[in-house]
Amino acid sequence: MSANTVIDVQDLRVRVGAARIVNDVSFKVERGQTLGIVGESGSGKSMTVLAATGLIDAPSAKVSGTSMLDGQNLIGLRRSKLEKIYGERIGFIFQDPATSLNPVLTLERQLTEGPEAHLGITRRAARRRALDLLEAVGIPDPEPRLAAYPHQLSGGMKQRVMIAVALACDPALLIADEPTTALDVTTQAQIISLVRSLQERLGMGVVWISHDLGVISGVAEEVSVLYGGQVVEHTAITDIFNNPLHPYTQGLLRARPYLGGAQEELVTIPGSPPDPKNLPKGCVFYDRCPVRLDSRCETELPPLTDVGDGHLVRSFCATSGGENVRNAWEGTRV
Amino acid sequence: MTQPPVAEKPDRPPSSEEAPVASERTSAWRLVLANKVTLGGLVVLVVVVLAAIFGRWLAPYGINDVDVTNALAPPSAAHWFGTDELGRDVFSRVLVSARVSILVGLVSVSFALVAGVVVGLLAGFFGGKLDAIVMRCADVLFAFPVLLLALAIVAVLGPGLPTAMLAIGIVYTPIFARVVRASTLGVREEPFVKASVSIGASSGLILRRHILPNITGPIIVQTSLSLAFAILSEAALSFLGLGVQPPDPSWGRMLFDARGFLGTAWWMSVFPGLAIFLTVLAFNLVGDGLRDVLDPRHRTAIEARRVK
């Protein structure tokens, strides 16, 4: 673990009853780096980061593995210790800004909560800080806004405030759980560039979860593709678009609608994601895979293999530079 | 109730932007007063409270001035609300009784409010064993009819006004606990609670700052309803001789004393009944008005309507 590593997650597993939600996920985030985590709904994206930060509140969820931050394993850490880490070392932005702010408190109360708890500063200093924060996240004329309530702001403004709350104590790690999903495209772009510029200034590591490859391409340097609670492909962001190897990643990229082009119909990946209570014995993508190169695909879980330059793929089919997979996908077009 | 009233700030000419400037917000009190219905309720409450405080000196007759020759006289210039079967002035008795009714209402409901809110918040927020134990105890209390339970408590502690208040308070505690627990369960799952956890807020802070302010609506409604019922419960207990001890009057006592004269002396029951009715109504109206103003979302809507 290098000195620049902000969080190092190894072999993370989450079980809820018989459901295997997250299966041996590992990732690492360096200072100033952004890791994108993409996947469909139900692929275990949110559960992965919630479990990695100890924020899972379901008592029935069993989490194992390690998640090292500042030399402490967050998994199984006592709540009182986690409280010191949240806000101060890790900041979170959630999906829905409309409900992530307390509707009956003014912005000032919500912005000063973290600093007052962690930095032990006075109300007055916290207020000054809140003003600076609002300015930093691009809210014009912040002074009167401090007295405003969340319902008086637009969705994009609320998400800016959420970011300000998350960054109030200069965390080393920012977890962004689909922060732009509830926003329109232009606001999305503003939020992305805001987080990027703040990241450059503050040098924090960011884990950005999204189901939108377009968003991920705008924020991340590296990306992990999650399917069935497993990392099926992990590589640099450019590689994902130029050289996707896993059949699922390729299927995802094919399924992106393009603006302007005369498309007869939207491309989908036939079938549905696997049931976490009943994951396939072999490759998790087996049921929907157009390739199925090998008999091992059905019976044996493919290992996450490095095919060069840190490009990791969990598939037996990812041979010959992914060409065979591309052809197989083309063959599925009717 | 749980939120301090917003401080008054000097009026400034409204800026052109939609930006919600603090000084542009109307003060909470002014909004409460702007609602005519709430204002009406408030006026009644003020009158009742004044009667409760100064009734003893304002009453034209002593509450126990017996004048048998003038018994059961209908309302007249000398006796505005008539006289009862012993010739006592009903108006004076209604006036003086306000003290007992208000006292019982406020003390017993405050007790139930504090105990019920604390229990309900903790049970709803932490759940698990604590929740199971506490709420089963509440269920046991619920299983008894309200009056029977109050009777049992008074029987153990001995009759009198203080024990009556305590008994009514205990009886209403589980009602508050339930309402608060149910609301807490709802708010606990709101994303902003998780968001607050994610910036490192402790459970105590989350309860105080995030959950309690979000459940004031149901609490206020329950409080105003309970004030009403507490006054009625006191009436019932007094009737059974377990509340206010004769010859001290209370509205409930007077009402029950009047039951034998419903056909012959309507004023004996109508005026104490009217006093209970108006007080209870006023509590409810003021409660409604407060609830609307204390919720920032409602409040913005009210302010917007005012501007129109």
Side-chain angles (χ1 to χ4, degrees), chain A residues 176-245:
Chain A
D177 188 354
E178 305 211 33
T180 59
T181 304
L183 306 173
D184 63 64
V185 196
T186 45
T187 318
Q188 214 169 61
Q190 289 169 2
I191 296 290
I192 290 171
S193 67
L194 170 66
V195 172
R196 284 203 73 115
S197 71
L198 288 170
Q199 182 186 18
E200 265 166 39
R201 253 170 54 195
L202 306 172
M204 58 194 171
V206 177
V207 177
W208 190 297
I209 302 174
S210 180
H211 58 250
D212 187 336
L213 280 164
V215 168
I216 290 291
S217 76
V219 291
E221 282 96 43
E222 286 192 23
V223 58
S224 286
V225 180
L226 234 60
Y227 185 79
Q230 297 177 357
V231 175
V232 294
E233 187 157 3
H234 171 95
T235 183
I237 188 71
T238 47
D239 258 9
I240 278 288
F241 290 94
N242 299 333
N243 185 27
L245 293 179

Coordinates of all heavy atoms in Angstrom, one line a residue, chain A residues 176-245:
Chain A
A176 N -19.1 9.1 -4.5 CA -20.2 9.7 -5.2 C -21.1 8.6 -5.8 O -20.7 7.9 -6.7 CB -19.7 10.6 -6.3
D177 N -22.2 8.4 -5.1 CA -23.1 7.3 -5.5 C -24.2 7.8 -6.5 O -25.2 8.3 -6.0 CB -23.7 6.7 -4.2 CG -24.5 5.4 -4.5 OD1 -24.6 5.0 -5.7 OD2 -25.0 4.7 -3.6
E178 N -23.9 7.7 -7.7 CA -24.8 8.1 -8.8 C -25.3 9.6 -8.5 O -26.5 9.8 -8.5 CB -26.0 7.2 -8.9 CG -25.6 5.8 -9.1 CD -26.6 5.0 -10.0 OE1 -27.2 5.7 -10.9 OE2 -26.8 3.8 -9.8
P179 N -24.3 10.5 -8.3 CA -24.7 11.8 -7.9 C -25.5 12.6 -9.0 O -26.0 13.6 -8.7 CB -23.4 12.5 -7.5 CG -22.4 11.8 -8.3 CD -22.9 10.4 -8.5
T180 N -25.4 12.2 -10.3 CA -26.0 13.0 -11.3 C -27.2 12.3 -11.9 O -27.8 12.8 -12.9 CB -25.0 13.2 -12.4 OG1 -24.5 12.0 -13.0 CG2 -23.8 14.0 -11.9
T181 N -27.6 11.1 -11.4 CA -28.7 10.4 -12.0 C -30.0 11.1 -12.0 O -30.8 11.0 -12.9 CB -28.8 9.0 -11.3 OG1 -27.5 8.4 -11.3 CG2 -29.8 8.1 -11.9
A182 N -30.2 11.9 -10.9 CA -31.5 12.6 -10.8 C -31.5 13.9 -11.5 O -32.5 14.7 -11.4 CB -31.9 12.7 -9.4
L183 N -30.4 14.3 -12.2 CA -30.3 15.6 -12.7 C -30.4 15.6 -14.3 O -30.1 14.6 -14.9 CB -29.0 16.2 -12.3 CG -28.7 16.2 -10.8 CD1 -27.3 16.7 -10.5 CD2 -29.7 17.1 -10.1
D184 N -30.7 16.7 -14.9 CA -30.8 16.7 -16.3 C -29.3 16.9 -16.9 O -28.4 17.1 -16.1 CB -31.7 17.9 -16.8 CG -31.1 19.2 -16.4 OD1 -30.0 19.6 -16.9 OD2 -31.8 19.9 -15.6
V185 N -29.2 16.7 -18.2 CA -27.9 16.5 -18.8 C -27.0 17.7 -18.6 O -25.8 17.5 -18.3 CB -28.0 16.1 -20.3 CG1 -26.7 15.6 -20.8 CG2 -29.1 15.2 -20.5
T186 N -27.5 18.9 -18.7 CA -26.6 20.0 -18.6 C -26.1 20.2 -17.2 O -25.0 20.5 -16.9 CB -27.3 21.3 -19.1 OG1 -28.6 21.3 -18.5 CG2 -27.4 21.4 -20.6
T187 N -27.1 20.0 -16.2 CA -26.7 20.1 -14.8 C -25.7 19.0 -14.5 O -24.7 19.2 -13.7 CB -27.9 19.9 -13.9 OG1 -29.0 20.7 -14.5 CG2 -27.7 20.4 -12.5
Q188 N -25.9 17.8 -15.1 CA -25.0 16.7 -14.9 C -23.6 17.1 -15.3 O -22.6 16.9 -14.5 CB -25.4 15.6 -15.9 CG -25.2 14.2 -15.4 CD -25.9 13.2 -16.3 OE1 -25.6 13.2 -17.4 NE2 -26.9 12.5 -15.7
A189 N -23.4 17.8 -16.4 CA -22.1 18.2 -16.9 C -21.5 19.2 -15.9 O -20.3 19.1 -15.6 CB -22.2 18.8 -18.3
Q190 N -22.3 20.1 -15.4 CA -21.8 21.1 -14.4 C -21.3 20.4 -13.2 O -20.2 20.8 -12.7 CB -22.9 22.1 -14.1 CG -23.3 23.0 -15.2 CD -24.5 23.8 -14.9 OE1 -25.1 23.7 -13.8 NE2 -25.0 24.6 -15.9
I191 N -22.1 19.5 -12.7 CA -21.7 18.8 -11.4 C -20.4 18.0 -11.7 O -19.5 18.0 -10.8 CB -22.8 17.9 -11.0 CG1 -24.1 18.7 -10.6 CG2 -22.4 17.0 -9.8 CD1 -24.0 19.5 -9.4
I192 N -20.3 17.4 -12.8 CA -19.1 16.6 -13.1 C -17.9 17.5 -13.1 O -16.8 17.2 -12.5 CB -19.2 15.9 -14.5 CG1 -20.3 14.7 -14.3 CG2 -17.9 15.3 -14.9 CD1 -20.6 14.1 -15.6
S193 N -18.0 18.6 -13.8 CA -16.8 19.5 -13.9 C -16.5 20.1 -12.6 O -15.3 20.4 -12.2 CB -17.0 20.6 -15.0 OG -18.0 21.4 -14.6
L194 N -17.6 20.4 -11.8 CA -17.4 20.9 -10.4 C -16.6 19.9 -9.6 O -15.6 20.3 -8.9 CB -18.7 21.2 -9.8 CG -18.7 21.5 -8.3 CD1 -18.0 22.8 -8.1 CD2 -20.1 21.6 -7.7
V195 N -17.0 18.7 -9.6 CA -16.3 17.7 -8.8 C -14.8 17.5 -9.3 O -13.9 17.4 -8.5 CB -17.0 16.3 -8.8 CG1 -16.1 15.2 -8.1 CG2 -18.3 16.4 -8.1
R196 N -14.6 17.5 -10.6 CA -13.3 17.4 -11.1 C -12.4 18.6 -10.7 O -11.2 18.4 -10.3 CB -13.3 17.4 -12.7 CG -13.8 16.1 -13.2 CD -13.3 16.0 -14.7 NE -11.9 15.7 -14.7 CZ -11.3 14.6 -15.1 NH1 -12.1 13.7 -15.6 NH2 -10.1 14.4 -15.1
S197 N -12.9 19.8 -10.7 CA -12.1 20.9 -10.3 C -11.8 20.9 -8.9 O -10.7 21.2 -8.4 CB -12.7 22.2 -10.8 OG -13.8 22.5 -10.0
L198 N -12.8 20.5 -8.1 CA -12.6 20.4 -6.6 C -11.5 19.4 -6.3 O -10.7 19.5 -5.4 CB -13.9 20.1 -5.9 CG -14.9 21.3 -5.8 CD1 -16.2 20.8 -5.3 CD2 -14.4 22.4 -5.0
Q199 N -11.6 18.3 -7.1 CA -10.7 17.2 -6.8 C -9.3 17.6 -7.1 O -8.3 17.3 -6.4 CB -11.1 16.0 -7.7 CG -10.2 14.8 -7.6 CD -10.5 13.7 -8.6 OE1 -11.2 14.0 -9.6 NE2 -10.1 12.5 -8.3
E200 N -9.1 18.4 -8.2 CA -7.8 18.9 -8.5 C -7.2 19.8 -7.4 O -6.1 19.7 -7.1 CB -7.8 19.7 -9.9 CG -7.5 18.8 -11.1 CD -7.9 19.5 -12.4 OE1 -7.7 20.8 -12.5 OE2 -8.4 18.8 -13.3
R201 N -8.1 20.6 -6.9 CA -7.7 21.6 -5.9 C -7.4 20.9 -4.6 O -6.4 21.2 -3.9 CB -8.8 22.6 -5.7 CG -8.4 24.0 -6.2 CD -9.6 24.9 -6.2 NE -10.2 25.1 -4.9 CZ -11.3 25.7 -4.7 NH1 -12.0 26.1 -5.8 NH2 -11.8 25.8 -3.5
L202 N -8.2 19.9 -4.2 CA -8.1 19.3 -2.9 C -7.3 18.0 -2.9 O -6.9 17.5 -1.9 CB -9.5 19.1 -2.3 CG -10.4 20.3 -2.2 CD1 -11.8 19.9 -1.8 CD2 -9.8 21.4 -1.3
G203 N -7.1 17.5 -4.1 CA -6.3 16.2 -4.2 C -6.9 15.0 -3.6 O -6.2 14.1 -3.1
M204 N -8.2 15.0 -3.5 CA -8.8 13.8 -2.9 C -9.0 12.7 -3.9 O -9.0 12.9 -5.1 CB -10.2 14.2 -2.3 CG -11.1 14.7 -3.3 SD -12.6 15.5 -2.6 CE -13.3 16.2 -4.0
G205 N -9.2 11.5 -3.4 CA -9.5 10.3 -4.2 C -11.0 10.3 -4.3 O -11.7 10.6 -3.4
V206 N -11.5 9.8 -5.5 CA -13.0 9.8 -5.7 C -13.4 8.4 -6.2 O -12.7 7.8 -7.0 CB -13.4 10.9 -6.7 CG1 -14.9 10.8 -7.0 CG2 -13.0 12.2 -6.3
V207 N -14.4 7.9 -5.6 CA -15.1 6.7 -6.2 C -16.4 7.1 -6.7 O -17.2 7.7 -6.0 CB -15.3 5.6 -5.1 CG1 -16.0 4.4 -5.8 CG2 -14.0 5.2 -4.5
W208 N -16.6 7.0 -8.0 CA -17.8 7.5 -8.7 C -18.6 6.3 -9.2 O -18.1 5.6 -10.1 CB -17.4 8.5 -9.8 CG -18.6 9.2 -10.4 CD1 -19.6 8.7 -11.0 CD2 -18.8 10.7 -10.3 NE1 -20.5 9.7 -11.4 CE2 -20.0 10.9 -11.0 CE3 -18.0 11.7 -9.8 CZ2 -20.5 12.2 -11.1 CZ3 -18.6 13.0 -9.9 CH2 -19.8 13.2 -10.6
I209 N -19.8 6.2 -8.7 CA -20.6 5.1 -9.1 C -21.6 5.6 -10.1 O -22.2 6.7 -9.9 CB -21.4 4.5 -8.0 CG1 -20.5 4.0 -6.9 CG2 -22.3 3.4 -8.4 CD1 -21.2 3.6 -5.7
S210 N -21.8 4.9 -11.2 CA -22.8 5.3 -12.2 C -23.2 4.1 -13.0 O -22.5 3.1 -13.2 CB -22.3 6.4 -13.1 OG -23.2 6.8 -14.0
H211 N -24.4 4.2 -13.7 CA -24.7 3.2 -14.7 C -24.5 3.8 -16.0 O -24.8 3.2 -17.0 CB -26.2 2.8 -14.5 CG -27.2 3.9 -14.6 ND1 -27.9 4.3 -13.5 CD2 -27.5 4.6 -15.6 CE1 -28.6 5.3 -13.8 NE2 -28.5 5.6 -15.1
D212 N -24.0 5.0 -16.1 CA -23.9 5.8 -17.3 C -22.5 5.8 -17.7 O -21.7 6.5 -17.1 CB -24.5 7.2 -17.1 CG -24.6 8.0 -18.4 OD1 -23.8 7.6 -19.3 OD2 -25.4 8.9 -18.5
L213 N -22.1 5.1 -18.8 CA -20.7 5.1 -19.2 C -20.3 6.5 -19.7 O -19.1 6.8 -19.6 CB -20.6 4.1 -20.4 CG -20.5 2.6 -19.9 CD1 -20.7 1.7 -21.1 CD2 -19.1 2.4 -19.3
G214 N -21.2 7.2 -20.2 CA -20.9 8.6 -20.6 C -20.4 9.4 -19.5 O -19.4 10.1 -19.6
V215 N -21.1 9.4 -18.4 CA -20.7 10.1 -17.2 C -19.3 9.6 -16.7 O -18.4 10.4 -16.4 CB -21.8 9.9 -16.0 CG1 -21.2 10.5 -14.7 CG2 -23.0 10.7 -16.4
I216 N -19.2 8.3 -16.6 CA -17.9 7.7 -16.1 C -16.7 8.2 -17.0 O -15.7 8.5 -16.5 CB -18.0 6.2 -16.1 CG1 -19.0 5.8 -15.0 CG2 -16.6 5.6 -15.9 CD1 -18.5 6.0 -13.6
S217 N -17.0 8.2 -18.3 CA -15.9 8.7 -19.2 C -15.5 10.1 -18.9 O -14.4 10.5 -19.2 CB -16.3 8.5 -20.7 OG -17.2 9.5 -21.0
G218 N -16.4 10.9 -18.4 CA -16.1 12.3 -18.1 C -15.4 12.5 -16.8 O -14.8 13.5 -16.6
V219 N -15.4 11.5 -15.9 CA -14.9 11.8 -14.6 C -13.7 10.8 -14.2 O -12.8 11.2 -13.5 CB -15.9 11.6 -13.4 CG1 -16.9 12.7 -13.5 CG2 -16.6 10.3 -13.5
A220 N -13.7 9.6 -14.7 CA -12.8 8.6 -14.1 C -11.5 8.4 -15.0 O -11.5 8.6 -16.2 CB -13.6 7.3 -14.0
E221 N -10.5 8.0 -14.3 CA -9.3 7.6 -15.0 C -9.3 6.1 -15.1 O -8.8 5.5 -16.1 CB -8.0 8.0 -14.2 CG -7.6 9.4 -14.3 CD -8.2 10.2 -13.1 OE1 -8.1 9.8 -12.0 OE2 -8.7 11.3 -13.4
E222 N -9.8 5.4 -14.1 CA -9.9 3.9 -14.2 C -11.3 3.5 -14.0 O -12.1 4.3 -13.3 CB -9.0 3.3 -13.2 CG -7.5 3.4 -13.6 CD -6.7 2.5 -12.7 OE1 -7.2 1.5 -12.1 OE2 -5.5 2.8 -12.6
V223 N -11.7 2.4 -14.5 CA -13.1 2.0 -14.3 C -13.2 0.5 -14.0 O -12.4 -0.3 -14.6 CB -13.9 2.4 -15.5 CG1 -13.4 1.8 -16.8 CG2 -15.4 2.0 -15.4
S224 N -14.1 0.1 -13.1 CA -14.4 -1.3 -12.8 C -15.8 -1.5 -13.3 O -16.7 -0.8 -12.9 CB -14.3 -1.6 -11.3 OG -13.0 -1.6 -10.9
V225 N -16.0 -2.6 -14.1 CA -17.3 -2.9 -14.5 C -17.8 -4.0 -13.6 O -17.1 -5.1 -13.4 CB -17.3 -3.4 -16.0 CG1 -18.7 -3.8 -16.4 CG2 -16.7 -2.4 -16.9
L226 N -18.9 -3.8 -13.0 CA -19.5 -4.7 -12.0 C -20.6 -5.5 -12.7 O -21.5 -4.9 -13.3 CB -20.0 -4.0 -10.8 CG -19.4 -4.5 -9.4 CD1 -17.9 -4.3 -9.4 CD2 -20.1 -3.6 -8.3
Y227 N -20.7 -6.8 -12.5 CA -21.8 -7.6 -12.9 C -22.0 -8.7 -12.0 O -21.0 -9.4 -11.6 CB -21.5 -8.1 -14.4 CG -22.8 -8.8 -14.9 CD1 -23.8 -8.1 -15.5 CD2 -22.8 -10.2 -14.9 CE1 -24.9 -8.7 -16.0 CE2 -24.0 -10.9 -15.4 CZ -25.0 -10.1 -16.0 OH -26.1 -10.7 -16.5
G228 N -23.2 -8.9 -11.5 CA -23.5 -10.0 -10.6 C -22.6 -9.9 -9.3 O -22.2 -10.9 -8.7
G229 N -22.3 -8.7 -8.9 CA -21.5 -8.5 -7.7 C -20.1 -8.8 -7.9 O -19.3 -8.9 -6.9
Q230 N -19.6 -9.0 -9.1 CA -18.2 -9.2 -9.3 C -17.6 -8.2 -10.3 O -18.3 -7.6 -11.1 CB -18.0 -10.6 -10.0 CG -18.5 -11.8 -9.3 CD -18.3 -13.0 -10.0 OE1 -17.9 -13.0 -11.2 NE2 -18.6 -14.2 -9.4
V231 N -16.3 -7.9 -10.1 CA -15.6 -7.1 -11.1 C -15.4 -8.0 -12.3 O -14.7 -9.0 -12.2 CB -14.3 -6.6 -10.5 CG1 -13.6 -5.8 -11.6 CG2 -14.5 -5.7 -9.4
V232 N -16.0 -7.7 -13.4 CA -15.8 -8.5 -14.6 C -14.7 -7.9 -15.5 O -14.1 -8.6 -16.3 CB -17.1 -8.7 -15.4 CG1 -18.0 -9.6 -14.7 CG2 -17.7 -7.4 -15.9
E233 N -14.5 -6.6 -15.4 CA -13.4 -6.0 -16.2 C -12.9 -4.7 -15.4 O -13.8 -4.0 -14.9 CB -13.9 -5.6 -17.6 CG -12.8 -5.1 -18.5 CD -13.1 -5.3 -20.0 OE1 -14.2 -5.7 -20.3 OE2 -12.2 -5.0 -20.8
H234 N -11.6 -4.5 -15.4 CA -11.1 -3.3 -14.8 C -10.0 -2.8 -15.6 O -9.0 -3.5 -15.9 CB -10.6 -3.6 -13.4 CG -9.9 -2.4 -12.8 ND1 -10.5 -1.5 -12.0 CD2 -8.6 -2.0 -12.9 CE1 -9.6 -0.6 -11.6 NE2 -8.5 -0.9 -12.1
T235 N -10.0 -1.5 -16.0 CA -8.9 -1.0 -16.9 C -9.0 0.5 -16.9 O -9.9 1.1 -16.3 CB -9.0 -1.6 -18.3 OG1 -7.9 -1.1 -19.1 CG2 -10.3 -1.1 -19.0
A236 N -8.0 1.1 -17.6 CA -8.0 2.6 -17.8 C -9.3 2.9 -18.6 O -9.7 2.2 -19.4 CB -6.8 3.0 -18.5
I237 N -9.7 4.2 -18.4 CA -11.0 4.6 -19.0 C -11.0 4.5 -20.5 O -11.9 4.1 -21.2 CB -11.4 6.0 -18.5 CG1 -12.8 6.3 -19.0 CG2 -10.4 7.1 -18.9 CD1 -13.9 5.6 -18.3
T238 N -9.8 4.8 -21.1 CA -9.8 4.8 -22.6 C -9.9 3.4 -23.1 O -10.4 3.2 -24.2 CB -8.4 5.5 -23.1 OG1 -7.4 4.9 -22.3 CG2 -8.5 6.9 -22.9
D239 N -9.3 2.5 -22.4 CA -9.3 1.1 -22.8 C -10.8 0.5 -22.8 O -11.1 -0.3 -23.7 CB -8.5 0.2 -21.8 CG -7.2 -0.1 -22.4 OD1 -6.8 0.4 -23.5 OD2 -6.5 -1.0 -21.8
I240 N -11.6 1.0 -21.9 CA -12.9 0.5 -21.8 C -13.7 0.8 -23.2 O -14.4 0.0 -23.7 CB -13.7 1.1 -20.6 CG1 -13.3 0.3 -19.4 CG2 -15.2 1.1 -20.8 CD1 -14.0 -1.1 -19.3
F241 N -13.4 2.0 -23.7 CA -14.0 2.4 -24.9 C -13.4 1.8 -26.2 O -14.0 1.4 -27.1 CB -14.2 3.9 -25.0 CG -15.1 4.4 -24.0 CD1 -14.7 4.9 -22.7 CD2 -16.5 4.5 -24.3 CE1 -15.6 5.4 -21.8 CE2 -17.4 4.9 -23.3 CZ -16.9 5.4 -22.1
N242 N -12.0 1.8 -26.1 CA -11.3 1.4 -27.3 C -11.0 -0.1 -27.4 O -10.9 -0.7 -28.5 CB -9.9 2.1 -27.4 CG -10.1 3.6 -27.5 OD1 -11.2 4.0 -27.9 ND2 -9.2 4.3 -26.9
N243 N -10.9 -0.7 -26.2 CA -10.5 -2.1 -26.3 C -11.3 -2.9 -25.2 O -10.6 -3.6 -24.3 CB -9.0 -2.2 -26.1 CG -8.5 -3.7 -26.2 OD1 -9.1 -4.5 -26.9 ND2 -7.4 -4.0 -25.5
P244 N -12.6 -2.9 -25.2 CA -13.3 -3.7 -24.2 C -13.2 -5.2 -24.5 O -13.3 -5.6 -25.7 CB -14.8 -3.3 -24.4 CG -14.9 -2.8 -25.8 CD -13.5 -2.3 -26.2
L245 N -12.9 -6.0 -23.5 CA -12.7 -7.4 -23.8 C -13.8 -8.3 -23.3 O -14.1 -9.3 -23.9 CB -11.3 -7.8 -23.1 CG -10.1 -7.2 -23.7 CD1 -8.8 -7.6 -22.9 CD2 -10.0 -7.5 -25.2

